[in-house]
Amino acid sequence: MKIILVAVMAFFWILLIYYSILTIAGVLQRLKRKEEITLPSYPSIAVLIPAHNEGVVIKQTLEAMIRLKYPGALDVYVLDDSSTDDTAEIIQKFSSTFSRIHYLKVPPGSPKGKSRVLNYGLSVTTSDYFIVFDADNQPAEDSVLELIHAAERTPDAGGAVGYVKTINADRNVLTRMISIEFQVFQLLMQSGRWKMFKTGSLAGTNMLLRRSVLQEAGGYDLYALAEDAELTVRLTALGWKLPVVHHSRTWEQEPEKISIFVRQRTRWLTGNIYLLEKSFHEWSYWKGKTFVHSFQHVLTYLLFVLMLLFSNTWFILSLLGVNLPDFESPLLLFWFMSYVVYTAQVVSAMVLERTITPFNVLIGLIMYFTYAQIFLLLLLRSGLSYIWSRLTKQTIKWDKTERFKDDAA
């Protein structure tokens, strides 16, 4: 038993050290100042916006698209995927007024989901690059410029990925927690990994890719629910880099109700479990820089879950007075250090994002005991759903995230 405990403790300490180093690397990367860059010429870009019943938010999104600054050819294509609300009407009003905006009706097909819609959009448009924004996004005016500058000036870049911020962070406690989670993720997994390993992860939105690179990869995987994570691994396996550009920003909505949050995260986690299974069948996913992504998936969706279950079980048994094996290593010190590292990551992200307030710090302090534990429950739910779909040979349906009307709009 002691051997198992020693192995568990050693793994935990390695993780603590690894994530601490990632945090420092992320901070150093974020402290880099924005460069003033002008390219000799600017390649053409097609902005692709998948849309299904987006009448609540699409007007604000298109207004943001009109404000985008880009000296080259930039066309915005809204891909209407069988909307039954006023989405089409709103888009067509914009397209009749602004030459940059184009309305495209996506033919019916299966499987449903973002991947199929994007593959269609790419098949009927032409450009050197394409950039994806979700239908609720409001990017900064220079977001596209920042991405293209990074893609054109980074050797072996297949594109570039920007930052995603939460537009409704102040709506309630849930949206604040999601916003903080995104800030920490982008500090560690984006800026930190780019600084250390020169590898980034596509975020599903505010992401730029060379059209030829996606063609080389064979397009989007129609069955990937987390199409951004799946494509990241394939492109990295092909030797392409995805520079992280924290100066490129877009704002998006996050779920304001726990029921919507559960459905969204179940889809995301199920998609990542699908990718985890693929990684066990593809040796190319474990070579070179791709190892960083595949190993992170194993850490997050397999080993971390087992360790968290062990930790929670040990804690509960201790509370119940169960006689547990003596262990010389100070477990309480380890749990305390875990909390310290986690809190340092949260505070660092807040400082860099300039979102640090007493209330946000309080939310960050309690997330370790609340929000972080929900991840375990959602992952178990997603895992059971995925296993059932494999056993019954059924395709898991795409679940669109519900939008909310901006009261200020």
Side-chain angles (χ1 to χ4, degrees):
M1 184 64 177
K2 282 193 174 183
I3 295 177
I4 297 176
L5 291 175
V6 169
V8 170
M9 290 298 296
F11 177 74
F12 267 133
W13 281 111
I14 291 172
L15 279 185
L16 277 180
I17 295 171
Y18 173 64
Y19 284 117
S20 298
I21 294 174
L22 270 186
T23 302
I24 296 171
V27 171
L28 293 175
Q29 178 66 21
R30 286 292 310 276
L31 291 177
K32 287 189 174 181
R33 293 187 177 183
K34 181 178 177 179
E35 297 183 59
E36 294 298 327
I37 301 168
T38 301
L39 299 177
S41 62
Y42 283 83
S44 58
I45 298 178
V47 177
L48 303 181
I49 305 176
H52 173 71
N53 291 339
E54 303 288 2
V56 172
V57 294
I58 197 65
K59 178 176 181 292
Q60 289 74 34
T61 298
L62 293 178
E63 288 173 344
M65 296 300 144
I66 295 168
R67 293 192 294 268
L68 289 175
K69 295 179 179 178
Y70 189 69
L74 179 73
D75 289 283
V76 179
Y77 299 93
V78 188
L79 310 172
D80 182 8
D81 184 23
S82 305
S83 296
T84 56
D85 63 355
D86 58 349
T87 296
E89 179 183 350
I90 296 172
I91 300 168
Q92 288 168 347
K93 284 183 179 178
F94 273 84
S95 65
S96 64
T97 306
F98 302 96
S99 59
R100 171 183 286 185
I101 308 297
H102 309 275
Y103 172 79
L104 291 177
K105 181 73 172 178
V106 179
S110 62
K112 295 289 187 181
K114 187 175 178 180
S115 293
R116 184 183 69 85
V117 173
L118 287 173
N119 279 341
Y120 173 77
L122 289 166
S123 71
V124 297
T125 61
T126 58
S127 61
D128 299 314
Y129 285 84
F130 72 94
I131 184 169
V132 178
F133 285 112
D134 285 337
D136 63 332
N137 273 216
Q138 297 182 36
E141 294 180 354
D142 62 348
S143 59
V144 174
L145 266 176
E146 292 295 331
L147 292 177
I148 200 68
H149 286 161
E152 287 287 286
R153 297 175 75 243
T154 303
D156 300 321
V161 57
Y163 261 40
V164 181
K165 296 176 68 67
T166 304
I167 199 169
N168 57 336
D170 296 335
R171 186 59 60 94
N172 54 42
V173 172
L174 176 61
T175 56
R176 281 181 186 271
M177 287 185 172
I178 296 173
S179 175
I180 293 171
E181 176 201 11
F182 272 34
Q183 292 171 38
V184 173
F185 168 80
Q186 291 176 128
L187 175 64
L188 272 69
M189 296 297 102
Q190 295 289 60
S191 290
R193 285 198 304 196
W194 177 251
K195 180 69 174 179
M196 288 184 63
F197 307 112
K198 286 296 179 283
T199 185
S201 297
L202 297 174
T205 189
N206 198 22
M207 46 170 273
L208 174 85
L209 286 174
R210 296 179 190 270
R211 186 179 291 264
S212 59
V213 167
L214 188 67
Q215 291 170 345
E216 178 187 354
Y220 280 93
D221 183 338
L222 295 177
Y223 298 96
L225 295 180
E227 82 293 333
D228 47 356
E230 192 278 336
L231 185 57
T232 294
V233 174
R234 276 194 290 140
L235 294 183
T236 306
L238 290 172
W240 295 105
K241 293 179 181 177
L242 298 168
V244 176
V245 190
H246 64 267
H247 296 298
S248 173
R249 306 253 171 139
T250 189
W251 283 258
E252 71 174 13
Q253 286 189 359
E254 301 303 338
E256 297 179 1
K257 298 178 181 178
I258 190 66
S259 58
I260 299 173
F261 171 77
V262 168
R263 293 202 304 272
Q264 181 197 64
R265 293 312 170 93
T266 298
R267 170 167 59 83
W268 289 5
L269 292 173
T270 302
N272 278 282
I273 294 172
Y274 168 78
L275 177 55
L276 180 63
E277 182 186 11
K278 284 187 71 173
S279 69
F280 290 138
H281 297 283
E282 294 285 346
W283 173 242
S284 62
Y285 287 10
W286 295 93
K287 296 192 297 184
K289 294 182 185 298
T290 316
F291 177 84
V292 176
H293 296 284
S294 295
F295 186 60
Q296 182 66 41
H297 269 83
V298 172
L299 282 180
T300 304
Y301 301 104
L302 187 60
L303 297 180
F304 175 74
V305 174
L306 294 175
M307 297 301 102
L308 190 57
L309 282 171
F310 171 84
S311 175
N312 290 344
T313 302
W314 186 279
F315 180 70
I316 292 172
L317 290 177
S318 299
L319 291 179
L320 294 176
V322 177
N323 289 326
L324 298 170
D326 293 331
F327 194 55
E328 295 178 359
S329 180
L331 288 175
L332 287 179
L333 175 61
F334 166 74
W335 283 322
F336 175 73
M337 287 301 299
S338 299
Y339 184 68
V340 169
V341 171
Y342 175 85
T343 304
Q345 293 168 356
V346 169
V347 173
S348 298
M350 287 182 185
V351 170
L352 291 168
E353 293 292 336
R354 300 181 180 179
T355 58
I356 190 164
T357 65
F359 186 61
N360 280 346
V361 171
L362 175 62
I363 295 296
L365 292 176
I366 65 174
M367 281 178 65
Y368 183 85
F369 306 101
T370 54
Y371 189 87
Q373 301 301 321
I374 293 175
F375 171 81
L376 177 59
L377 298 176
L378 289 176
L379 187 55
L380 291 174
R381 182 177 190 266
S382 303
L384 291 174
S385 174
Y386 185 76
I387 292 172
W388 178 252
S389 71
R390 297 289 284 162
L391 292 174
T392 59
K393 298 182 179 180
Q394 295 179 349
T395 301
I396 299 178
K397 295 182 179 179
W398 178 273
D399 184 36
K400 177 188 173 298
T401 302
E402 181 181 336
R403 312 296 189 195
F404 297 89
K405 185 174 181 58
D406 184 358
D407 296 333

